[in-house]
Amino acid sequence: MVEPNSDLRRVETDILVIGAGGAGMYAALAAAEAGVDVMLVDQSLVGRGGATIMAQMTVAAALGEAEPDDWRLHYADTLKAGRGLCDPALAELLCREAPVRIREMDDWKVGWARTDKGISQVMAPGHSRQRCCYVDVLNTGPAVAACLRKQVARENRIRRVSNLIVTDLLTDAEGCAGAFGFLMGEGQPVAISARAVIIAAGGLTKLYRRNSASANMGGHSYYLALQAGAELLDMEFVQFFPIGHLAPRLVGMDPIMWDPFRYKLGGRLLNGKGEEFISRYDGGSNTEGYTTTRDLTTFAILSEVAAGRGTPHGGAWLSFRHIPEADLLAAFGPVIDKLRKNGIDLATMDVEVSPIAHYHMGGIRVNTSMQTAVPGLYAAGEAVGGANGANRLSGNAIPEAFVFGWVAGHEAAQRMAVAQHRALPQAALNAALDCYHSRLQPPKAERDVIGTLEAELPGLMWDKVGPFRNAADLTAAIARLRAMQAELAQASVGTGAIFNMQLQSWYDLRAALRTAEAIAMAALQRQESRGAHQRDDYPAMDDAWRRNIAIASRNDALQLEALPILAETV
Amino acid sequence: MNSGNAELAETILQIRRGTEADAPQYQDFTLRYEDGTSVLDALMRLRREQDSSLAFRYACISANVCKECVILVDGEKQYACTTRLKPGRMVLEPLPGKPLLRDLVTDTVPPKEKL
């Protein structure tokens, strides 16, 4: 027997921020600016993991630099794309504050691309104005992450901790008092006492076979929130990015890299027979080539594949062969060389693209102060549900990270006036420690349970809880996900605690399987097709379903509730 | 090996296993060779299909932005995500000159980012 608490390390901070991508770093900066001490932790390296650094696309903000614009227009576009399900107050906050944060980043010399009019702003699908800024071809995310890392490193109130896996929030009737986790490199369990906790480790696209995820986008935020007693919202709405790279194998590049080039050059989407097909699905409104929203394009490509008109790997062709080679070179610049290294010559060949899981519209239910229903617990960035409804506009993810991050940090800092440090809830801490030590017992099963479950989950989600859904598949998926959770609960990993990736995988799977169950249950309940949620058995949008589905965990079972829609704020 | 039979070819990844406390040891893993596969793809496949205890660093998964997946491939410092698998034998080892944590993982966390 391992003696409980034997090697437990205890630390204290004012605000614990879980996840150090754009939202987490912004939350830490806002809290530090308010004079509060912050511990900013990430399971990868601070500022290098998560979704922000992966962003190769554009950032939407009504700056009005390319043409007159107003945040109310951005707000209207966001609500329209959200198919009637946005939380209007969150959407308003996102659109109203985005210009403030984008200009702040400009002051911090992130390097937004400029024209002679000012910050360069371009059109993107679903936007009514030229509104989307960027740093450089394919470099927006890395530049944004580097800029924020620099700001964070400068701030001595922010303590950065890399390779710390937070596994449990420690709560009692009074609210959230901190968290339990472990240090990968040291193999040591840690209890963190905090006066407020911000969950900023959003994203769950790793649950799907085809995805644009980084390693830590496996649903941790949603699991932590549920276990702490907070609610989730809109979990059925997983955004599939329509033209993710499918084949030939492309390494050293983000699979969503094609979009800006398609926009810039007018890349053609063709089915397996070489025919253009988008106009068959969007009522012909796509004559300009690049105005169709993401959910419609996804639907169109997968419908062609289902009808037997897909490409060899099950997607669509993206073709630039009609573009003069000089124009290709000018637009792609150094990217041409990267593509050549991958054996791709766009002048002579098409590439295969397919919808891939890219972003999660759903998430933790918060108010406009980013507070959950659990006192002391906040959320930020992609972890938050509601701002984007049933479908997210291109360019809204990064401002969401900045704006919600800043608000969460600022609001959590205000809580310091009323919240003192208190003893960590002993029952919750003991349960977390027991679970941790149980995992490090020698495995009972002969076969590799962790590897088997990790291999099965993405296929199960893609096939049964993917872009097209039906009651039979969803019901089967829910049953299987519950059986997998039962199997996982019995599994241990052994072989020592230092950088034990099986131990990490066990906790990843615990979060992923519960999150997957939440998605599948909400998808089964929503008997209609809307935005990113498409049901074969309910193909039409149904006004009766203009509701948000909230999910809570009660006595370890997920409970769903359909909520009336919130009124528009503007 | 010529490319004509590459589709039937195998790759043997000879991987340094264990922690600093263990005597240096190598384990061979045999995989079906697939054109275009990266070393990181292969390592991730090994964890799913053969041994989930195999430890290596990665975060962004093949976008080459996190820069975490540096290891020695046949004695040279390489990103696992941008290095292609080859038919035949490849030797994978942790970075030299850094404390070894486990298998291919060394302690690359900056001192200011430790608890």
Side-chain angles (χ1 to χ4, degrees), chain A residues 9 11 39 44-46 48-49 53-54 56 142 159-164 183-186 190 206 211 213-216 249-255 338 341-343 448 450-452 454-455 495-502 505, chain B residues 19-20 34-41 44-68 80-84 100-103 105-115:
Chain A
R9 177 135 177 225
V11 292
M39 185 178 287
S44 297
L45 300 179
V46 167
R48 294 183 184 275
I53 199 166
M54 305 282 286
Q56 299 198 331
R159 187 174 181 184
R160 291 166 285 161
V161 185
S162 289
N163 282 174
L164 171 59
L183 291 161
M184 281 296 278
E186 290 79 359
V190 181
K206 204 177 82 169
N211 66 59
S214 60
N216 44 17
R249 182 73 180 112
L250 177 66
V251 300
M253 304 195 73
D254 185 333
K338 280 191 162 190
K341 277 187 194 161
N342 280 283
D448 187 341
I450 305 287
T452 311
E454 279 199 319
T495 65
I498 290 176
F499 222 96
N500 185 331
M501 284 183 64
Q502 278 183 315
S505 289
Chain B
T19 65
E20 201 148 52
E34 278 173 59
D35 225 16
T37 301
S38 70
V39 170
L40 181 62
D41 292 335
M44 291 174 68
R45 208 167 91 202
L46 283 183
R47 279 202 79 228
R48 286 194 305 271
E49 295 174 2
Q50 298 191 33
D51 184 354
S52 69
S53 76
L54 181 64
F56 48 94
R57 280 188 187 276
Y58 65 100
C60 76
I61 311 186
S62 300
N64 196 226
V65 289
C66 75
K67 311 295 183 185
E68 273 207 56
C81 75
T82 55
T83 307
R84 303 283 181 168
L100 176 66
L101 296 177
R102 179 187 296 270
D103 299 344
V105 179
T106 49
D107 188 0
T108 48
V109 173
K112 284 191 171 172
E113 297 177 17
K114 291 193 175 191
L115 193 62

